[in-house]
Amino acid sequence: MPTGVPIEFSGLTKTFGQVSAVSDLTFTVEPGQVTGFLGPNGAGKTTSLRMLLGLVRPTSGTATFGGTAYAKLDSPLQTVGASLEAASFHPGRSARNHLAVYAQSAGLPKTAPDAALEKVGLSGYGDRRVGGYSLGMRQRLGLAFALLGDPGVLVLDEPINGLDPEGIKWIRLLLRAMAAEGRTVLISSHLLSEVQQTVDDVIIISHGTLVHRGELSSLDTSDTKQVQVNAEDRDRLAAVLVDAGYQVSNLRSGVLVENADAATIGRLAFEAGIPLTGLSQKRTGLEESFLTLVGEEGSL
Amino acid sequence: MSAGYLGAVRSEFTKVRTTRLWWVLLVIMAAYVALCAGGMAAILGGLGGGANGPAIPEAQLPLLVYSFATSVGYVFPVLFGALAVTSEFRFQSLTPTFLANPRRGIVLGGKATTLLVVGAVFGVVALIASIGLGASLLAAFGIDPLLGEPDTWAFVGRSILAMALWSAIGVGLGVLVPSQVAAIVIVLAFTQFVEPLLRLAASFTDWSAQVAQFLPGAASDALVGASIYTAMSGGSAGLDWWQGGLVLVAYAAIATLIGFFTSWRRDVS
C-alpha cells in the first residue's frame, strides 16, 4: 500500500510581469486526510498546483513532496497522481490508449491502464474516442490518469466540477477511502459547499495569498443560526415572531428569522394557530466565513 | 529511475500509432507519389528520347522517376513531424506528458527518435509507390528499370534516410513554431512555393547558386542524388550526398535545440 508524504509549500511565489499571481504561500498538507484548497476563480489555485507539479516555474520559493520537487522524483506517477482542470486529451485517441501512452512513458505495467479505468468506472468505455466523452466522463478519465501509478499522493484540480450528483457521491467516497488508507489528498475548488462534506482541512487563498488554514470546523466561527419559515398568512406569522422578540426579514419563499432554532419557531406558530407550509434550519456559518475570508461576496 | 528515454520512445510510438493521422497521410502520400512517378514514366518513356523535351539519357530515367518519392513526397514526413509536436500544444497534452516524465529534454529526444523512424517508414512507402508504378511502366515501354543495379538500391537507402531526416526537421519546426496553423502554413508555403522559387531564382548567378545548395530541398536532392530539379537545371555540381545529409541533420538539430530552449521549456498552463 503506497503511503502518502506531506506536500510542503514554502514561500511559493509567481509573478507574471507586474502581476502577482501567487505570493509567499507557505503551508503543509498532511497525509491521511482530505485537504481542500479553496479560493474564488483567479485566486491562484491552478498556478500554485502547476508550480507544485513542475509545470510552471516559480518566481521564488519551493513546493515539494516530502522535500523532493516533482521534477526530481524517481518515479513521479507512482508517487503523485495529478489531474488538472484543463482537458488534456487528444480527442482522436481512445481512453485506454490515452492512458497507455503515459503508462509507457512512466514505465508502469501493461495492466495499469485497464486497472485505472476500472477504478473510475470507465471499463466499458475504454475503446471509445475521448472526443465523444461527456464532461463527467472526462473528469473520470482525468482521475484515472491520476490513479494510473497507484500513488500515495493525489493532487486534483476541481475534480468535482462537471460530475452529476451520483458522480459527486462516488468521488467523495473514493477520496475519503484514499485518505483513510494513509494517502495525501489535496483537492481544489472554488466552492466551499462543493467540498465541505469531503474535506477535513481547508486552505483558503485569495488574490494569491493564504488567508486561512485549519480544520473545516474552525471556519464555523459564527454562532448565528437562522430559520426559514413559511405560512399562507405570512404577515401574521411575521407579526407573531416580531412580538416574540425575533428579528425577521422577508424572503421570496418565506420569512427568515435570525438567532432562532426551528423547534422554537414551530412551537410559536403552533401556539398562535398558524399552519406552517415550511420550516427549516439554516446553517450559514461556513459559507459566510468563507466569503468573508476571500472578501468577494456576490462574485461567487 | 523511471522508464526514461526508452519509455519516452515507446510512449511516443504509441502516440503516433493511436490516432488516425499517420495512415491518412501515408495513403495521400502514396497516391500522390504514384501519380507523379507514373505520370513522368509514361511521359518520358512513351515519348522516347526523340521528343523535344530536355534530353535525358535513358540510363538516368529510372532514378529520376523513382526520386518522386522524395522530391514530392518529402512534404508528408515534415508535416507529420511538425503535427506530432504542435498537437501536443494544441490539445494541451504536454501537461500529462510532462507529468509522466518531467525530464523534458528526454521527452523531446524520444519524440525526435520516434519521428526519425516514422519518417523512414514514410520513405519506404513512398519508394514502394514510386518504384512500384514507375518500374512497371518503364519496363512496359521497353526501358530497363535498373532494379538489379546496386546504385539503385544505394539510392533507395539514401532516399529513406532523407525522409527520416525530413521528419526530424518537422519536429524541429513544430517545437520552434508551436502554433499548429502557423506550422502547417509554413510547411506548405515553404516546400511548395518559396523554396522552388528561391532555387530557380538563385540559379541565375554563381554566388547565389552556391548559397542555394544549402537550402533544405537542395540538400535533400544532393543526398538522394537525383531529382526533377537537378535534371532540369542541368545537373550543376552541388553538394556531395553525405554533405547534403549533414545539412539536413543540421537543420533538424538546430531547430530542435532552439525550440527546446524556447517553447518546450516554457511554463505549461
Side-chain angles (χ1 to χ4, degrees):
Chain A
M1 179 66 59
T3 49
V5 291
I7 304 172
E8 291 153 359
F9 287 77
S10 173
L12 195 67
T13 301
K14 180 72 178 181
T15 51
F16 296 106
Q18 296 293 308
V19 186
S20 166
V22 175
S23 42
D24 200 23
L25 273 191
T26 301
F27 59 84
T28 304
V29 179
E30 298 294 346
Q33 55 188 27
V34 181
T35 303
F37 187 38
L38 304 172
N41 287 325
K45 298 187 300 293
T46 301
T47 304
S48 304
L49 295 183
R50 284 187 174 272
M51 284 192 278
L52 172 66
L53 297 166
L55 296 167
V56 166
R57 206 167 292 144
T59 307
S60 63
T62 58
T64 66
F65 298 91
T68 311
Y70 190 86
K72 298 270 188 278
L73 291 172
D74 279 339
S75 38
L77 286 196
Q78 284 147 293
T79 313
V80 181
S83 152
L84 294 168
E85 194 177 13
S88 310
F89 312 113
H90 191 300
R93 194 170 283 137
S94 75
R96 180 177 291 110
N97 285 332
H98 168 77
L99 295 176
V101 161
Y102 304 109
Q104 287 172 355
S105 178
L108 301 176
K110 262 203 173 80
T111 52
D114 278 330
L117 285 173
E118 173 89 48
K119 275 184 209 161
V120 301
L122 284 180
S123 280
Y125 305 92
D127 292 323
R128 222 189 263 187
R129 288 206 180 86
V130 179
Y133 269 28
S134 67
L135 180 57
M137 288 166 86
R138 284 168 196 232
Q139 278 285 23
R140 284 173 187 249
L141 182 57
L143 192 62
F145 171 75
L147 298 175
L148 204 50
D150 195 20
V153 180
L154 277 180
V155 177
L156 308 174
D157 195 10
E158 303 271 357
I160 293 169
N161 208 4
L163 290 178
D164 55 19
E166 192 196 349
I168 294 175
K169 189 178 165 202
W170 164 78
I171 199 170
R172 265 180 197 150
L173 292 172
L174 180 79
L175 296 178
R176 303 276 350 149
M178 292 284 202
E181 287 168 0
R183 299 181 215 241
T184 314
V185 183
L186 179 64
I187 60 172
S188 81
S189 177
H190 60 283
L191 289 173
L192 175 68
S193 55
E194 198 177 63
V195 298
Q196 74 184 55
Q197 285 173 268
T198 315
V199 301
D200 306 290
D201 263 21
V202 288
I203 288 152
I204 300 174
I205 67 169
S206 175
H207 302 295
T209 51
L210 184 70
V211 292
H212 181 83
R213 134 156 240 7
E215 284 175 26
L216 181 65
S217 55
S218 69
L219 270 182
D220 196 4
T221 51
S222 138
D223 54 3
T224 45
K225 286 183 185 167
Q226 295 174 320
V227 170
Q228 188 177 336
V229 59
N230 203 7
E232 276 170 22
D233 192 350
R234 204 186 283 178
D235 292 340
R236 202 160 81 80
L237 174 66
V240 166
L241 295 172
V242 169
D243 283 348
Y246 286 103
Q247 198 184 351
V248 301
S249 50
N250 273 309
L251 299 174
R252 201 162 29 148
S253 56
V255 177
L256 189 66
V257 194
E258 305 288 344
N259 291 320
D261 67 276
T264 315
I265 300 299
R267 202 179 59 239
L268 275 171
F270 178 76
E271 285 167 2
I274 305 168
L276 293 181
T277 55
L279 175 67
S280 65
Q281 186 85 47
K282 291 188 79 174
R283 292 179 57 85
T284 54
L286 286 176
E287 197 70 33
E288 239 156 46
S289 309
F290 177 61
L291 291 176
T292 310
L293 282 168
V294 301
E296 294 192 14
E297 294 94 332
S299 81
L300 289 164
Chain B
M1 190 60 202
S2 59
Y5 175 72
L6 278 182
V9 172
R10 287 184 61 210
S11 167
E12 293 299 330
F13 265 109
T14 305
K15 281 182 193 172
V16 168
R17 203 171 45 75
T18 52
T19 61
R20 284 172 287 189
L21 186 67
W22 67 273
W23 62 260
V24 170
L25 280 183
L26 269 185
V27 167
I28 298 174
M29 179 191 69
Y32 184 36
V33 166
L35 187 73
C36 291
M40 186 55 77
I43 291 168
L44 295 177
L47 295 177
N52 41 2
I56 299 170
E58 203 175 284
Q60 282 184 21
L61 271 184
L63 290 196
L64 179 61
V65 168
Y66 305 157
S67 74
F68 275 98
T70 51
S71 63
V72 304
Y74 79 102
V75 63
F76 292 91
V78 187
L79 202 56
F80 191 74
L83 291 177
V85 178
T86 56
S87 70
E88 297 257 24
F89 286 93
R90 181 174 166 212
F91 298 118
Q92 298 175 320
S93 50
L94 283 179
T95 293
T97 296
F98 291 157
L99 286 177
N101 187 349
R103 285 134 187 116
R104 298 188 185 186
I106 290 178
V107 173
L108 188 56
K111 206 181 249 312
T113 309
T114 302
L115 268 294
L116 271 170
V117 176
V118 172
V121 172
F122 271 77
V124 170
V125 172
L127 285 160
I128 289 173
S130 73
I131 297 179
L133 193 61
S136 31
L137 279 175
L138 288 173
F141 290 118
I143 299 170
D144 181 0
L146 300 179
L147 291 182
E149 294 291 319
D151 277 358
T152 303
W153 295 102
F155 157 86
V156 165
R158 294 195 307 270
S159 297
I160 293 172
L161 177 62
M163 293 292 263
L165 291 174
W166 276 115
S167 177
I169 289 176
V171 172
L173 175 71
V175 74
L176 207 54
V177 186
S179 153
Q180 184 141 312
V181 174
I184 293 173
V185 168
I186 288 172
V187 168
L188 294 182
F190 190 80
T191 61
Q192 305 304 301
F193 190 65
V194 176
E195 190 179 17
L197 277 184
L198 277 179
R199 285 174 72 181
L200 187 66
S203 64
F204 290 123
T205 69
D206 263 353
W207 69 267
S208 60
Q210 288 293 321
V211 176
Q213 62 189 357
F214 292 98
L215 284 170
S220 173
D221 287 344
L223 168 59
V224 171
S227 99
I228 188 69
Y229 293 110
T230 43
M232 285 195 314
S233 61
S236 62
L239 300 172
D240 280 335
W241 71 267
W242 59 272
Q243 290 173 319
L246 285 181
V247 170
L248 292 188
V249 169
Y251 274 112
I254 291 169
T256 306
L257 266 181
I258 297 175
F260 172 73
F261 285 110
T262 53
S263 71
W264 199 253
R265 293 209 314 174
R266 262 209 304 258
D267 287 350
V268 182
S269 48

